[in-house]
Amino acid sequence: MLSEFDLIKRYFAQHTITDPRIVLGIGDDCALVNPSPGMQLAISTDMLVSGRHFFPDADPYALGHKCLAVNLSDLAAMGASPVAFTLALSLPEANPEWLDQFSRGMLSLADEYACSLIGGDTTKGPLTICITVFGELPPGSALRRDAAQAGDDVWVSGTLGDARLALAGYRKEIKLDPAAQQQAAQRMHQPTPRIALGLALRGVANAALDISDGLTGDLGHILERSGMGASLHIDSLPAGPVLSHQSLATQRAFTLAGGDDYELCFTAPVAQRSAVIAAGVRSATPVTRIGSIDTAPGLRLLDDFGQTVSLQLTSFDHFSSP
Ligand code: ADP
Ligand code: MG
């Protein structure tokens, strides 16, 4: 039987931290961190609960990846670069096989983004994974939700809807062949945090966030915080490669309101169009212009003919969904 301390040592404290910003990592009462000189800390927490955010039998490697990826995605959406994270873990049992895969999935992504695991807490209980991530950015450079300006273009990174399509496949709402289900599921289980794009958009974009609950709902947060409205060209929305084989109605519904995409939605002045495109190229991340910000409250959806489209759409809300 693994003791709590052995477990931490074996699975989570295996790496020697070489980042000079980390003065002290796992093992003491607190970790000690020096942000780079002149930088501001960006801090975010995300909790993933078994049966709510992932299936109880989820592949542990993919789960480890996803838990950290969704946190890094928040740093990306702020334009911050990763520094370190802490991990609070509630586990029903100390299963070595599971812990080995879970920690590998998490720590390989951490290595990729030079984000060190510096501490946490471990307890027995229902499977719950809570990560707090620490990033840094120059003061005044954050891509805040309240910074959208009238006339800004609205942009989105990558593609939307494949993660929602995978869920529809699992739920048998839509029949997918096994190859399509697997490709879409990859998007659902192993999202890519758009860190490089977030950094490239500093000084270029005004407002940004990451799309976790669905484009319309999440863009709504920017509109509300900025006191603005927006029009979106629904036929410009970049559907995921698997979703693009579905009906137009499904493509519209899942690009607009599918969750779990972890793409960035951001606004930028029209004068920055070529700078946004250059940021996309520099970060090797596709970017698509999908609409514009204006002062009329609310979100309007327009088709290719400029006609208003009304869709009964709500994005995912943990308290109103079963
Ligand atoms: P405390 O008694 O202060 O809560 P713990 O015994 O829980 O300390 O933890 C010992 C050390 O291990 C601390 O440095 C803590 O940050 C770290 N730690 C505990 N759980 C984890 C975990 N799941 N991942 C990384 N570090 C952890
Ligand atoms: Mg503790």
Side-chain angles (χ1 to χ4, degrees), residues 4 120-122:
E4 181 189 326
D121 198 24
T122 308

Side-chain angles (χ1 to χ4, degrees), residues 1 7 90-96 98-99 123-127:
M1 191 54 204
L7 184 159
S90 165
L91 292 171
E93 54 172 350
N95 175 341
W98 190 95
L99 279 161
T123 174
K124 195 174 167 114
L127 181 57

Side-chain angles (χ1 to χ4, degrees), residues 24 47 69-70 109 168 203 205 224 229 268 276 312:
L24 189 61
M47 177 153 58
V70 303
L109 187 68
E224 191 189 331
V276 170
Q312 280 301 326

Side-chain angles (χ1 to χ4, degrees), residues 154-159 194 196-198 200-201 204-205 236-238 263-266 268 272-290:
V154 179
W155 298 78
V156 70
S157 68
T159 63
R194 298 299 194 186
L197 178 64
L201 289 174
V204 173
S236 308
L237 299 178
E263 294 294 351
L264 300 188
C265 175
F266 56 97
Q272 297 280 20
R273 269 182 201 172
S274 56
V276 170
I277 291 164
V281 171
R282 219 171 342 130
S283 60
T285 310
V287 289
T288 308
R289 190 155 54 83
I290 59 168

Side-chain angles (χ1 to χ4, degrees), residues 4-5 7-8 12-13 25-31 86-89 117-122:
E4 181 189 326
F5 199 71
L7 184 159
I8 295 164
F12 299 110
I26 293 173
D28 214 310
D29 300 308
C30 292
T86 60
L87 168 66
L89 199 54
L117 177 56
I118 56 167
D121 198 24
T122 308

